Amino acid sequence: MRKQKLVILYFVLSIIWIYGTNYLIEQFLPSHLTWIIERLKEILYLIITGGVIYFFIGKKEELHASKEDEKRLSTLINSMVDFVNFKDGEGRWIEANDFGLKLFQLENVDYRGKKDSELADYTEYYADALRYCEVSDEETWKNGTVTRCEEVVPIPDGSAKTFDTVKVPLFNPDGSRQGLVIIGRDITEKKDMAKQLAESQQQYKSLFEYSPDIVYMMDLNGVFSNLNPQFEIITGFKREEMIGKNVKSILPKRFRYHFKEFISTVVDNSRPVIFELYIPHVDGHLITLQTTSLPIVINGEITGIIGYGRDVTGLRQTEERLRRTEKLSVVGELSASVAHEIRNPLTSLKGFVQLLQVEDQKHQFYYQIMLDELDRINHIVGELLLLAKPQVLKYTSSDIQKIMFDVISLLITEASLYNVQIESAFPEEEILMECEPNQLKQLFINVIKNSIEASQNGGTIWVSIEKMEQEQLTITVKDNGCGITKERLAKIGEPFYSSKEKGTGLGLTVSFKIVQSHKGTIKFESQKNEGTLVTIVLPLNPRMVSTNRRSQIAKS
């Protein structure tokens, strides 16, 4: 329709031009100039109409090219998975891609030339979100620079999408607003993955940091790459100092030789590899660790080893105590059946030997040897009965210094035979203890007698008593005798284990039982040829210890 109007206008103007100019020429110009002026008029008309036609053809080509560019741009932005929107300087929508129209439920709305607040009337669900866009756009205009923010858009199904939105303001040379380009990328999945990764990392960190066991990570050469805080608690070594160091630096020598074999076993096995090893604590004593190790696999390649180490030192010590208790139980059963069978004929033999000793003066030396050996057998049987028979302790308040003084007085003669001196150091004030005096006498006799026999070539035994703050007392017996090897020290107190030629091993077994019945502890420290230190710690009132333990059990 518009084209027809333009053609009609062209014809009307052309007729007016032709006839109008011809009339003016005939009326006002001389006849001899008429032909020349008419030809010039025709040439001018051709130039003007040709220029107009050329102008319109150029505009048409520009318009066609512009439409082609617009079509390409539309195709481009509609193929994008991001929200794309172009606005003018007044905030009116110029162009938006299908993703954005679908997002705001504006697919069938003529959005061009409308502001966000106007478009809000077409979509009730996203009305508030569109109105907020105007506020956000205004902040971008005020900032005058590219802004980036995260915007959360609700979805009708109840979920929400998070967009990483970039807004680019465009200005005219005079500083006035020209337009606004908005690009929003859906990062919901990325945010969810980041959240899941963060949660996974927090779970891993919680497992790593708060595990009650040592958690370690190391490369295939054995260099620690990470350690949890429990490593420092269990071993005493600073984990910051150990990270970057080789595990061999804390392994005993016998484990270092098998370390390569350990690495190979972990790498070659697809199942957890469990080892039990000993490592030193920072203060010197050994810790028993039960380790479970697995390979670290990254992109199908084994890059290191991860595992955890459980401190089973206390468990192994408990197992050892149980084994000793079982041995003691077996000894008790054996003693009960054997001791009574021995004691009856032993009494008869001793009586006959004493009778023969009176009647036969010629063999007195042999009779005396026989009586001594029978007394020794009787003593052993007594120890057996002590182990076999449950003891009902009758605690009495006794002076511990007097008990020790009586023991030293009893053994000082025997010590003189071995050229051994006994020196004692007791507190001046009296120390009263609830105990079974006869059992404590036997305990002190066994310990001091062992020290005398270990110092056969002469020496000194130091006996001391010290009262502690926690209602306890410490008795120490120290000698400078032959000492005890580490192997024998580990088995000390076991029934029938003795380093003496004629020893039964029952003396220290009985001693351990006496200390245990008085709720105390006994500890042996010794080195070969450097003497032995025996430390006995006893509560002043064992019955109170039992009561406290029962109370703790009831509370738990």
Side-chain angles (χ1 to χ4, degrees), residues 530-543:
E530 293 187 13
T532 302
L533 172 64
V534 183
T535 305
I536 302 169
V537 179
L538 298 172
L540 294 178
N541 193 342
R543 286 181 289 196

Side-chain angles (χ1 to χ4, degrees), residues 206-261:
S206 298
L207 176 64
F208 184 82
E209 295 288 334
Y210 303 113
S211 172
D213 302 323
I214 294 174
V215 182
Y216 56 86
M217 298 173 67
M218 59 185 177
D219 61 22
L220 296 179
N221 294 319
V223 177
F224 286 121
S225 58
N226 206 354
L227 292 164
N228 72 333
Q230 199 67 18
F231 175 84
E232 188 171 329
I233 295 173
I234 291 177
T235 67
F237 291 99
K238 298 289 184 182
R239 67 169 179 164
E240 294 82 3
E241 298 175 359
M242 292 306 301
I243 293 175
K245 289 186 178 181
N246 199 293
V247 66
K248 292 181 181 179
S249 62
I250 60 172
L251 288 179
K253 288 183 179 180
R254 59 175 175 153
F255 290 109
R256 295 178 194 172
Y257 296 121
H258 302 288
F259 185 71
K260 287 186 177 180
E261 181 183 348

Side-chain angles (χ1 to χ4, degrees), residues 341-351 374 377-378 381:
E341 297 297 328
I342 294 176
R343 180 154 283 184
N344 291 334
L346 193 63
T347 304
S348 301
L349 288 173
K350 187 173 182 180
L374 289 172
I377 294 173
N378 192 41
V381 171

Side-chain angles (χ1 to χ4, degrees), residues 187-383:
I187 58 171
T188 307
E189 186 176 348
K190 182 180 177 181
K191 292 281 289 185
D192 290 343
M193 291 179 63
K195 182 180 178 181
Q196 291 175 6
L197 178 60
E199 290 176 354
S200 177
Q201 288 176 341
Q202 289 175 5
Q203 291 171 359
Y204 163 75
K205 184 178 180 181
S206 298
L207 176 64
F208 184 82
E209 295 288 334
Y210 303 113
S211 172
D213 302 323
I214 294 174
V215 182
Y216 56 86
M217 298 173 67
M218 59 185 177
D219 61 22
L220 296 179
N221 294 319
V223 177
F224 286 121
S225 58
N226 206 354
L227 292 164
N228 72 333
Q230 199 67 18
F231 175 84
E232 188 171 329
I233 295 173
I234 291 177
T235 67
F237 291 99
K238 298 289 184 182
R239 67 169 179 164
E240 294 82 3
E241 298 175 359
M242 292 306 301
I243 293 175
K245 289 186 178 181
N246 199 293
V247 66
K248 292 181 181 179
S249 62
I250 60 172
L251 288 179
K253 288 183 179 180
R254 59 175 175 153
F255 290 109
R256 295 178 194 172
Y257 296 121
H258 302 288
F259 185 71
K260 287 186 177 180
E261 181 183 348
F262 162 76
I263 294 290
S264 301
T265 305
V266 174
V267 171
D268 296 339
N269 270 280
S270 58
R271 294 177 298 177
V273 178
I274 300 175
F275 282 95
E276 194 164 297
L277 51 85
Y278 305 100
I279 63 170
H281 190 273
V282 71
D283 62 11
H285 72 270
L286 287 179
I287 301 169
T288 306
L289 282 184
Q290 187 181 74
T291 63
T292 303
S293 303
L294 287 166
I296 300 174
V297 181
I298 299 177
N299 297 326
E301 183 180 352
I302 296 176
T303 59
I305 293 173
I306 185 172
Y308 62 88
R310 179 167 297 171
D311 183 6
V312 294
T313 308
L315 178 62
R316 296 295 176 260
Q317 290 174 349
T318 301
E319 290 175 351
E320 180 62 28
R321 285 195 293 268
L322 284 173
R323 280 193 291 269
R324 290 192 176 190
T325 302
E326 289 175 359
K327 289 181 181 179
L328 196 60
S329 177
V330 172
V331 170
E333 293 177 5
L334 178 64
S335 301
S337 61
V338 172
H340 292 290
E341 297 297 328
I342 294 176
R343 180 154 283 184
N344 291 334
L346 193 63
T347 304
S348 301
L349 288 173
K350 187 173 182 180
F352 286 127
V353 170
Q354 289 174 338
L355 181 61
L356 291 173
Q357 188 180 25
V358 173
E359 296 179 354
D360 187 2
Q361 298 297 324
K362 182 179 180 181
H363 300 95
Q364 290 295 316
F365 176 73
Y366 300 108
Y367 293 138
Q368 188 59 46
I369 293 175
M370 293 171 67
L371 287 173
D372 291 341
E373 291 302 311
L374 289 172
D375 287 338
R376 184 167 176 270
I377 294 173
N378 192 41
H379 175 72
I380 294 172
V381 171
E383 289 184 333

Side-chain angles (χ1 to χ4, degrees), residues 455-508:
S455 308
Q456 292 186 4
N457 296 326
T460 305
I461 298 173
W462 294 270
V463 180
S464 67
I465 298 174
E466 182 181 0
K467 186 177 180 181
M468 311 298 289
E469 294 180 357
Q470 296 84 11
E471 292 298 314
Q472 293 178 331
L473 60 88
T474 301
I475 300 102
T476 58
V477 179
K478 183 179 180 182
D479 64 67
N480 53 6
C482 60
I484 309 171
T485 62
K486 289 184 178 180
E487 292 77 12
R488 289 182 172 178
L489 195 63
K491 295 184 179 181
I492 200 165
E494 293 186 6
F496 306 116
Y497 182 83
S498 175
S499 59
K500 303 174 188 176
E501 183 178 351
K502 296 184 179 181
T504 62
L506 294 175
L508 286 180

